[in-house]
Amino acid sequence: MKAYLRVYNAIREQILNGEAPVGSMLPPEPVLEKQFSVSRTTVRRAMLRLSEEGFIHIKQGRGTEVISSIPASNYYKFHNITGIQEIFNNSGKPFTQNSCYIDQVFADQKIAEALQIPEKTPVYQVQRLLCTDSLPFALMKNYVRTDVAPGLEQYTEELIDLYKLLQEKYNAVFFTGKEHISAATAGFTEAHLLKVAPGTPLLFCTRYAQTHTLPLEYGQTYLRTDRYDLVVEMQGWPAQGVPLHIIR
């Protein structure tokens, strides 16, 4: 069994059986490292999975709080999802990429956990502004491991579709991914680049993409709600006991 799964299973069991009750704080990372004889990266990967499943909430600088003892599989969806469609309000006009910039930054905790690397490891940061009909609608930041795409900055002028470029230049093929969509408001930078007023409601999308063996990309995208819609198609009454993964 992988080390992070051993840590994940042990803490999950503590939450489920009440040893770590809702409202309590889990031990800090250094304590968990010693308790399970694993690295900090392993502990953080286990914590990330517990967070994604709704058991815990990681508070930067304050610790990790247990927020639920109910497994996600106890929830059920109301309808069978048959398709998800993204609609861009661009009157049929093509997208344009207003700007693209690739540089290297040091991975913070969130990036490191997503890409499964130690904190402060250099990674590529790809920043792009996408437009329709000369108006910006998406501000994108993508993070890629340097060992997955060495020399990525040389392809700045060619970069339109990141996954296509990674496949053609590095044989790094998208295999699976997960995207979280939440509400946000435009700060000063987002408002300036997206040409909206500060405080304007936006959609914030966080994407985790994998190859067969490695994390491919971690992405953050701000979307203008007046130029983008997400449509979920549903059909029929679901079978009894179809699980829905709940993320708080």
Side-chain angles (χ1 to χ4, degrees):
M1 179 184 295
K2 292 183 178 180
Y4 88 92
L5 288 176
R6 179 166 57 86
V7 178
Y8 159 82
N9 286 330
I11 296 177
R12 182 178 184 274
E13 183 61 28
Q14 292 174 9
I15 295 172
L16 293 178
N17 65 24
E19 290 182 45
V22 173
S24 66
M25 304 297 289
L26 294 180
E29 290 178 350
V31 174
L32 293 174
E33 289 176 54
K34 292 180 180 179
Q35 179 182 341
F36 293 101
S37 300
V38 295
S39 68
R40 184 160 301 189
T41 299
T42 297
V43 170
R44 288 178 177 174
R45 189 174 178 189
M47 293 297 104
L48 178 63
R49 178 161 178 175
L50 289 165
S51 175
E52 290 175 344
E53 293 184 358
F55 287 107
I56 63 173
H57 176 58
I58 302 170
K59 300 179 179 180
Q60 296 296 329
R62 296 176 57 190
T64 302
E65 180 184 3
V66 178
I67 59 173
S68 176
S69 60
I70 303 173
S73 59
N74 283 4
Y75 292 88
Y76 300 93
K77 65 183 181 181
F78 297 117
H79 301 281
N80 295 316
I81 295 176
T82 60
I84 297 176
Q85 182 182 12
E86 295 179 291
I87 298 176
F88 301 93
N89 303 320
N90 64 342
S91 304
K93 297 180 180 179
F95 303 144
T96 57
Q97 187 167 275
N98 192 7
S99 59
C100 177
Y101 181 67
I102 303 175
D103 63 346
Q104 285 195 31
V105 298
F106 295 108
D108 61 19
Q109 180 182 350
K110 195 169 285 188
I111 298 170
E113 288 175 350
L115 297 181
Q116 298 175 21
I117 54 176
E119 277 189 62
K120 299 184 180 179
T121 299
V123 295
Y124 286 113
Q125 176 181 248
V126 182
Q127 300 183 77
R128 290 175 289 168
L129 186 64
L130 303 185
C131 301
T132 61
D133 197 17
S134 300
L135 285 174
F137 76 92
L139 174 60
M140 306 177 69
K141 285 186 180 180
N142 309 89
Y143 299 92
V144 182
R145 288 171 44 155
T146 56
D147 59 340
V148 169
L152 182 62
E153 66 269 22
Q154 66 185 298
Y155 299 113
T156 301
E157 299 300 322
E158 301 178 42
L159 200 160
I160 300 296
D161 185 324
L162 178 60
Y163 292 160
K164 183 177 180 181
L165 186 143
L166 292 174
Q167 179 174 348
E168 291 178 349
K169 304 296 184 182
Y170 299 100
N171 197 33
V173 181
F174 175 90
F175 176 65
T176 185
K178 178 168 57 177
E179 186 150 331
H180 300 182
I181 300 176
S182 57
T185 55
F188 177 79
T189 301
E190 295 81 31
H192 174 72
L193 292 172
L194 292 173
K195 298 187 184 305
V196 296
T200 297
L202 301 173
L203 288 178
F204 180 60
C205 303
T206 307
R207 177 174 294 187
Y208 304 82
Q210 298 270 146
T211 68
H212 280 278
T213 58
L214 289 171
L216 178 65
E217 170 245 0
Y218 169 63
Q220 299 175 333
T221 301
Y222 287 95
L223 289 157
R224 283 180 50 162
T225 56
D226 61 334
R227 303 187 68 79
Y228 174 86
D229 296 298
L230 184 70
V231 179
V232 179
E233 299 174 359
M234 298 170 285
Q235 182 176 0
W237 192 262
Q240 178 70 26
V242 179
L244 171 64
H245 184 67
I246 299 293
I247 299 176
R248 291 180 179 82

